[in-house]
């Protein structure tokens, strides 16, 4: 059982990251905990097929992604939303001139951290249709490479890139809408040429 | 050498560390000489940091890790 004990100890360090991503996937704390438990159980049982020395973190995220897609997704009664409105390139960047400067007096990096609340960022991710949400989570939040994400989702790398691109733009638009709702934006400041 | 349009088109891949070393260096060279593109780069890098920081700022449910260990322990004992 030595290898299995190692699994528990090694895998446990990734539990908090897995939980955060599971929560963005399921949008529900109880389902997220179930998803992480199921991921660990599957990992534990499939441990013989895990190659020592390969990336345990990527392996766990792959199991979790597949479990989510196969189980939770199929439970959802909502129609599959695969379409996403096309958003122009550099959407948010081109609108930064409309943000009320008096409410943004920190340094540039802090500014971005202050500009949106945790809830807004979480909601923006969770509002994405699953097809886009999962690659965005795996890349922007978990930092996996295109190749790793392509393997996890069993789609070509080009598909990962296009879903990331469209998903990120849609997320930026969502963040902009949240900022507008909070009164941080004065659109009359935008250069009409933009 | 990369121009502004190419740099902006490839900014996302550059931020994802998915460009070849040669291409990444061309983008870096362009960014060093172009304030506009440098601004776009910094904006997206900062946005990426903010998203990652905020999306992972999550408290674990009370007793979460214990329950996780327990469920693996139960599996060993065949109480699945």
């Amino acid at each position: 059982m030595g290898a299995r004990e190692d699994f528990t100890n090694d895998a446990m360090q990734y539990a908090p990251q897995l939980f955060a991503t599971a929560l963005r996937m399921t949008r529900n704390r109880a389902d997220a905990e179930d998803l992480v438990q199921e991921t660990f159980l599957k990992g534990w049982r499939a441990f013989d097929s895990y190659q020592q020395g390969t990336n345990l973190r990527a392996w766990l995220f792959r199991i979790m992604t597949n479990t989510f897609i196969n189980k939770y997704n199929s439970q959802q009664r909502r129609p599959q939303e695969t379409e996403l409105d096309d958003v122009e390139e550099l959407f948010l960047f081109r609108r930064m001139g409309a943000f009320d400067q008096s409410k943004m007096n920190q340094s540039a990096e802090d500014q971005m951290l202050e500009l949106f609340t945790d809830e807004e960022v979480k909601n923006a991710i969770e509002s994405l249709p699953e097809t886009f949400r999962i690659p965005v989570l795996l890349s922007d939040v978990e930092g996996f490479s295109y190749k790793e994400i392509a393997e996890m989702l069993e789609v070509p790398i080009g598909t990962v890139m296009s879903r990331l691109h469209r998903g990120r733009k849609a997320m930026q638009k969502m963040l902009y809408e949240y900022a507008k709702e909070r009164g941080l934006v004065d659109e009359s400041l935008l250069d009409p040429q933009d | 050498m990369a121009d502004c349009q190419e740099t902006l088109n490839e900014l996302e891949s550059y931020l994802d560390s998915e460009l070849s070393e040669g291409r990444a260096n061309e983008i870096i060279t362009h960014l060093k000489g172009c304030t506009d593109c440098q601004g776009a780069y910094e904006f997206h890098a900062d946005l990426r940091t903010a998203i990652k920081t905020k999306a992972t700022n999550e408290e674990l449910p009370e007793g979460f890790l214990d329950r996780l260990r327990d469920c693996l322990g139960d599996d060993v004992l065949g109480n699945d």
Side-chain angles (χ1 to χ4, degrees):
Chain A
M1 295 310 284
R4 299 261 171 148
E5 279 159 26
D6 286 348
F7 168 78
T8 311
N9 291 329
D10 290 350
M12 208 53 87
Q13 67 182 302
Y14 302 117
Q17 314 171 12
L18 286 159
F19 178 76
T21 290
L23 189 49
R24 300 284 87 75
M25 285 178 174
T26 62
R27 306 186 258 212
N28 169 308
R29 287 176 78 83
D31 286 347
E33 177 160 354
D34 284 350
L35 179 58
V36 176
Q37 281 193 5
E38 198 168 336
T39 301
F40 269 65
L41 273 175
K42 282 186 178 168
W44 169 267
R45 289 172 188 166
F47 197 62
D48 293 339
S49 68
Y50 168 73
Q51 306 279 319
Q52 290 286 344
T54 58
N55 191 332
L56 177 63
R57 180 171 173 269
W59 190 69
L60 288 167
F61 271 94
R62 182 180 187 151
I63 295 174
M64 187 165 88
T65 301
N66 283 319
T67 305
F68 174 71
I69 290 171
N70 292 331
K71 183 181 174 186
Y72 291 83
N73 186 25
S74 63
Q75 280 179 354
Q76 286 174 11
R77 292 285 171 263
R78 285 176 291 138
Q80 229 337 27
E81 313 149 90
T82 47
E83 287 310 310
L84 204 54
D85 288 343
D86 210 25
V87 176
E88 74 189 78
E89 300 301 317
L90 306 172
F91 183 89
L92 197 54
F93 179 64
R94 297 210 190 285
R95 281 165 181 73
M96 285 313 282
F99 279 77
D100 186 340
Q101 294 301 313
S102 66
K103 290 173 185 158
M104 303 167 44
N105 48 8
Q106 298 87 2
S107 72
E109 197 180 325
D110 289 346
Q111 204 171 77
M112 196 67 79
L113 282 167
E114 296 296 323
L115 198 50
F116 306 108
T117 66
D118 288 12
E119 281 313 302
E120 285 170 342
V121 168
K122 289 171 188 178
N123 289 339
I125 295 175
E126 291 178 18
S127 70
L128 292 174
E130 226 158 77
T131 316
F132 301 92
R133 180 157 34 108
I134 295 175
V136 166
L137 278 170
L138 294 172
S139 175
D140 287 23
V141 179
E142 297 302 340
F144 288 112
S145 68
Y146 296 166
K147 184 168 174 286
E148 286 171 315
I149 298 168
E151 285 168 5
M152 290 180 199
L153 297 174
E154 295 172 11
V155 297
I157 285 182
T159 305
V160 172
M161 291 170 70
S162 100
R163 288 182 187 175
L164 278 174
H165 186 60
R166 292 183 59 203
R168 284 165 173 165
K169 285 194 299 179
M171 195 162 71
Q172 289 188 13
K173 190 172 179 196
M174 199 67 65
L175 289 171
Y176 181 72
E177 296 299 327
Y178 293 149
K180 226 157 80 173
E181 282 168 25
R182 272 200 292 138
L184 291 180
V185 172
D186 178 356
E187 285 190 317
S188 70
L189 294 172
L190 280 179
D191 183 340
Q193 281 179 328
D194 284 345
Chain B
M1 195 49 203
D3 63 21
C4 290
Q5 194 53 51
E6 290 170 338
T7 300
L8 294 177
N9 285 344
E10 291 173 54
L11 207 50
E12 208 171 324
S13 298
Y14 175 65
L15 280 163
D16 287 333
S17 310
E18 296 278 355
L19 293 180
S20 67
E21 198 185 333
R23 190 55 178 165
N25 284 331
E26 288 173 0
I27 300 290
I28 291 167
T29 305
H30 179 86
L31 290 176
K32 278 183 183 157
C34 176
T35 328
D36 287 351
C37 289
Q38 179 68 30
Y41 164 73
E42 282 170 9
F43 173 84
H44 288 93
D46 292 345
L47 180 63
R48 200 68 75 84
T49 306
I51 288 170
K52 189 183 163 106
T53 308
K54 288 169 185 293
T56 50
N57 187 13
E58 213 56 73
E59 237 175 83
L60 291 176
E62 178 120 14
F64 173 83
L65 294 175
D66 290 337
R67 285 193 295 281
L68 198 52
R69 278 184 193 279
D70 286 350
C71 86
L72 296 181
D74 287 347
D75 199 55
V76 175
L77 299 171
N79 294 343
D80 180 32

